[in-house]
Every structure is written in structure tokens, then in C-alpha cells.
Amino acid sequence: MGRRIEASAVVPMGQEETWDLLEGDQMRRAVELSDAIVAIEDYHMRPDGTPRYIHVGKMGPGKIRFTADYSVFERPQRIEATILDSPFGGAYRVDYEEIPDGTRVTHRWDVEPQNAFFGLLLPAVRPLIERSLRRDLETIARRAPGLSTAPSQEKAGPT
């Protein structure tokens, strides 16, 4: 049985603008805003309108890579994806909720460890992953209003 990791932050922008900033442009702007996302690679939109890509993120002094395989891509409200090629795997959902102060962006990861070792490790690392995710969302929310409307290629990596 998995364990949920959840974090949210309020981006002081409208729902559609927030969606476009974080999910649009093959996620290049999200990479620019984030301290935890190193790159989005091999991004492609499938005929059914859902993306698939390789996420490269920071984990301590190293990097972690996994494939995000979307099943739901409902602009501007939510995404749902399966996390593949990761020891922690599972289902990932992001909701974009319009509120008076902007848009609440909520990440929910129902982690499904891929073997017994990672299942034993999860209770110890879950709070660290949750805190890291929350901090990165808060960083994104703080930086978002100042981001230029022109996409940056700075950290995006190959697509």
C-alpha cells in the first residue's frame, strides 16, 4: 500500500495563467522557476492530448530521473500521471484551484514503492520529500509573477 505525499502553494496569478506557466511550453518555464527541477527531457504530446516526458530533478547532491506518463491533462484544472522508472513510482496529481488570492496549486503523489527495500525506506524519506516539494512550490509561487512572458531555454534541456 502506498503513502501520500502532498503539498500546495498559492500562485498569485489567475488559474489559466498559472496553468500555462507551469504546464505550457513543454514545462520550460516551470524548470526556470523551480530549484528542484533540473530539466524536462523528451517531452512529447500524444495524439490523445496527454504529454509524456522524462523529469530530471535534484535529490540531495545527486539527480533523480523518472518518466511522467499523463492520463489526464485538463487545462486549466488538473493533471494526472503515472510515475514510471522510479523506485517510488505511483500516481501523481496536480490540481489548479482558483481562489481569491490567485491559484492554489496542489500536488498529490500516491507513492507505490517498487520493491520491499523502498517500501521500508518510504516512512523515513516521506517527510523529507514532502517538505522539499512544499518548499519548491513556495519558491515557484514567489518567483512566478516576475517571470518574463518569453520562455527561457536556460535549464530546459533537450526536448
Side-chain angles (χ1 to χ4, degrees):
M1 182 174 185
R3 302 277 303 273
R4 178 168 283 179
I5 294 173
E6 187 169 336
S8 68
V10 175
V11 177
M13 300 165 77
Q15 185 182 35
E16 289 191 15
E17 188 178 16
T18 300
W19 170 279
D20 290 343
L21 188 67
L22 300 179
E23 301 292 339
D25 191 31
Q26 298 186 1
M27 298 183 69
R28 286 181 180 97
R29 291 181 180 144
V31 172
E32 183 177 339
L33 290 167
S34 173
D35 287 338
I37 305 172
V38 175
I40 299 295
E41 300 174 347
D42 194 26
Y43 186 104
H44 60 279
M45 190 67 74
R46 295 177 289 205
D48 70 356
T50 61
R52 182 180 169 113
Y53 56 83
I54 297 169
H55 176 281
V56 183
K58 292 180 186 175
M59 178 155 283
K63 295 179 185 173
I64 186 165
R65 301 169 68 86
F66 61 83
T67 301
D69 187 12
Y70 284 51
S71 57
V72 175
F73 197 66
E74 294 179 357
R75 181 184 188 276
Q77 296 154 329
R78 70 184 174 114
I79 64 100
E80 293 181 21
T82 301
I83 304 301
L84 306 172
D85 310 325
S86 167
F88 290 112
Y92 204 95
R93 177 179 173 136
V94 180
D95 290 296
Y96 293 84
E97 176 191 3
E98 193 159 15
I99 61 172
D101 294 337
T103 302
R104 181 180 317 284
V105 180
T106 302
H107 288 236
R108 290 181 187 89
W109 183 10
D110 291 320
V111 179
E112 292 294 334
Q114 300 304 295
N115 63 46
F117 173 74
F118 288 104
L120 292 172
L121 192 59
L122 182 59
V125 299
R126 186 187 149 286
L128 300 173
I129 295 170
E130 194 166 71
R131 182 174 39 235
S132 176
L133 179 58
R134 185 183 65 252
R135 284 183 182 160
D136 197 49
L137 284 172
E138 290 168 353
T139 297
I140 289 169
R142 191 173 55 254
R143 292 176 177 167
L147 186 66
S148 158
T149 56
S152 170
Q153 300 293 325
E154 189 175 315
K155 285 176 36 183
T159 56

